Amino acid sequence: MKNINVAIDGPAGAGKSTVARRAASILGYIYVDTGALYRAAALFITERDIPGSDVENALNEADISLRFIDGVQRVFLGERDVSELIRTPEISMAASKYSAMPPVREKLFGLQKQIAAENNVIMDGRDIGTVVLPDAQVKVFLTASPEERARRRYKELSEKPECPAYEEILADIIQRDDQDMNRETAPLKMAEDAVLLDSSELDLDETVEELVRIIKAGTDRSAE
Ligand code: CDP
């Protein structure tokens, strides 16, 4: 039987990872955060200080993989677990920059396809419904206003010692939206057959509930 593939795309800070992770645990699917792969590629490139023209070559040596430990995704560079190291603002910006490069996307494409072919997944990213899993049974575009997304990220980061100012977070989000939507390769855009879920006015529980409802409706329909 074909595995169930749910594609969730949307801009930075829309809450995709939290919402998708919760929905996956309710439905018993694996949650795949593809952003972690782009972040790991960005870490590999920045740690080695690789100039843009050498990225394609250098990436041949990058051994990026995802492992699922008790259903929880960890990202590895070789045998090194880099799941925490990739969560800095510098790597966020670098991931957005390098993910615009076709060799970076090509490198990670097959890995994403393979995981989706072998498992029931909720996969989140920017081009999952449009490029990686165009045949996904359910596609959702999860978004919220830039101000609401910045507010949420600020709340999340305010518990950490070096929290940037709200204005700085908002500026970062707007810059990343611009980079992600206006790049030539696999730009962030809603697939024609995706369901739009705007969470600006919804809290976390309500968003998860709505997502689970959309997925159940979509998988019931595709099983008919
Ligand atoms: O969690 P957050 O929304 O901050 O970002 P992320 O999902 O971890 O993705 C980091 C960056 O990787 C994004 O700004 C995108 O440019 C890029 N990305 C991508 O191009 N394609 C994907 N499928 C996932 C992420």
Side-chain angles (χ1 to χ4, degrees):
M1 207 185 73
K2 201 165 167 254
N3 282 309
I4 293 171
N5 289 173
V6 177
I8 304 197
D9 292 299
K16 294 190 300 290
S17 58
T18 313
V19 171
R21 188 178 298 113
R22 286 235 211 143
S25 121
I26 291 169
L27 295 163
Y29 300 170
I30 282 187
Y31 163 60
V32 185
D33 164 18
T34 63
L37 295 170
Y38 290 91
R39 287 169 179 270
L43 181 70
F44 178 88
I45 297 166
T46 48
E47 275 186 340
R48 282 170 181 69
D49 228 353
I50 297 164
S53 54
D54 289 351
V55 163
E56 183 165 9
N57 252 335
L59 273 182
N60 289 330
E61 280 161 41
D63 173 19
I64 301 168
S65 62
L66 293 182
R67 297 185 199 169
F68 296 90
I69 299 165
D70 293 332
V72 177
Q73 170 183 306
R74 308 292 299 179
V75 60
F76 281 75
L77 266 184
E79 282 308 308
R80 187 158 66 114
D81 184 340
V82 295
S83 310
E84 270 82 42
L85 266 183
I86 57 173
R87 299 285 158 199
T88 63
E90 291 72 32
I91 294 297
S92 301
M93 203 50 88
S96 175
K97 176 177 158 202
Y98 292 118
S99 65
M101 298 175 69
V104 176
R105 309 204 70 84
E106 278 154 31
K107 166 102 188 164
L108 301 173
F109 180 79
L111 189 56
Q112 298 170 76
K113 290 290 273 186
Q114 190 193 344
I115 297 170
E118 292 171 354
N119 302 282
N120 290 330
V121 295
I122 298 186
M123 188 173 274
D124 98 28
R126 301 292 190 282
D127 63 337
I128 308 304
T130 48
V131 177
V132 180
L133 304 176
D135 297 327
Q137 290 91 336
V138 184
K139 297 181 187 178
V140 177
F141 194 83
L142 180 63
T143 189
S145 67
E147 290 75 17
E148 182 56 30
R149 286 184 278 135
R151 245 191 310 277
R152 290 176 190 169
R153 190 125 299 187
Y154 178 71
K155 204 165 147 239
E156 189 184 314
L157 292 175
S158 61
E159 286 145 28
K160 304 205 170 144
E162 283 171 34
C163 178
Y166 167 82
E167 287 72 25
E168 205 178 313
I169 296 176
L170 178 61
D172 266 22
I173 282 189
I174 291 171
Q175 187 187 340
R176 239 164 11 113
D177 280 0
D178 181 59
Q179 281 173 200
D180 291 351
M181 290 190 288
N182 295 315
R183 66 188 179 203
E184 266 177 45
T185 317
L188 169 66
K189 65 167 196 275
M190 183 165 146
E192 274 175 17
D193 49 352
V195 176
L196 177 67
L197 175 51
D198 185 332
S199 72
S200 303
E201 308 278 323
L202 303 177
D203 69 20
L204 190 58
D205 287 344
E206 291 167 333
T207 313
V208 174
E209 226 170 88
E210 185 58 14
L211 177 62
V212 170
R213 195 190 60 71
I214 294 169
I215 295 173
K216 283 188 175 157
T219 47
D220 284 353
R221 206 173 314 116
S222 75
E224 274 164 16

